[in-house]
Amino acid sequence: MSETVTASIGWRWWCRWYLRAVVWFARATSMEPDWQRVEWWIRRGLVVRVERQRRGSR
């Protein structure tokens, strides 16, 4: 019996809009964003899915 693990990484629906807004405000104000806060939101916006698939017989 063998198993295969498949992992996929995606974004929540709002994460790309948030990152676009960060870039826009950084350019408009000529200021650097708070990278710790941006990183925190990116971590919240990432979705990691792991699926286990069994192959073979006992």
Side-chain angles (χ1 to χ4, degrees):
M1 178 171 42
S2 64
E3 292 187 22
T4 302
V5 177
T6 304
S8 62
I9 299 174
W11 297 96
R12 296 197 188 271
W13 67 269
W14 52 263
C15 195
R16 289 186 183 173
W17 291 104
Y18 169 76
L19 293 174
R20 288 178 184 150
V22 168
V23 170
W24 187 87
F25 278 102
R27 289 182 180 171
T29 61
S30 299
M31 296 176 65
E32 285 286 320
D34 180 358
W35 291 113
Q36 289 179 338
R37 176 175 266 172
V38 172
E39 179 184 1
W40 186 83
W41 281 106
I42 289 173
R43 289 180 186 271
R44 281 190 58 125
L46 282 178
V47 178
V48 179
R49 291 186 184 96
V50 179
E51 296 179 8
R52 188 173 77 185
Q53 301 168 349
R54 292 187 178 181
R55 294 184 182 176
S57 61
R58 289 186 163 185

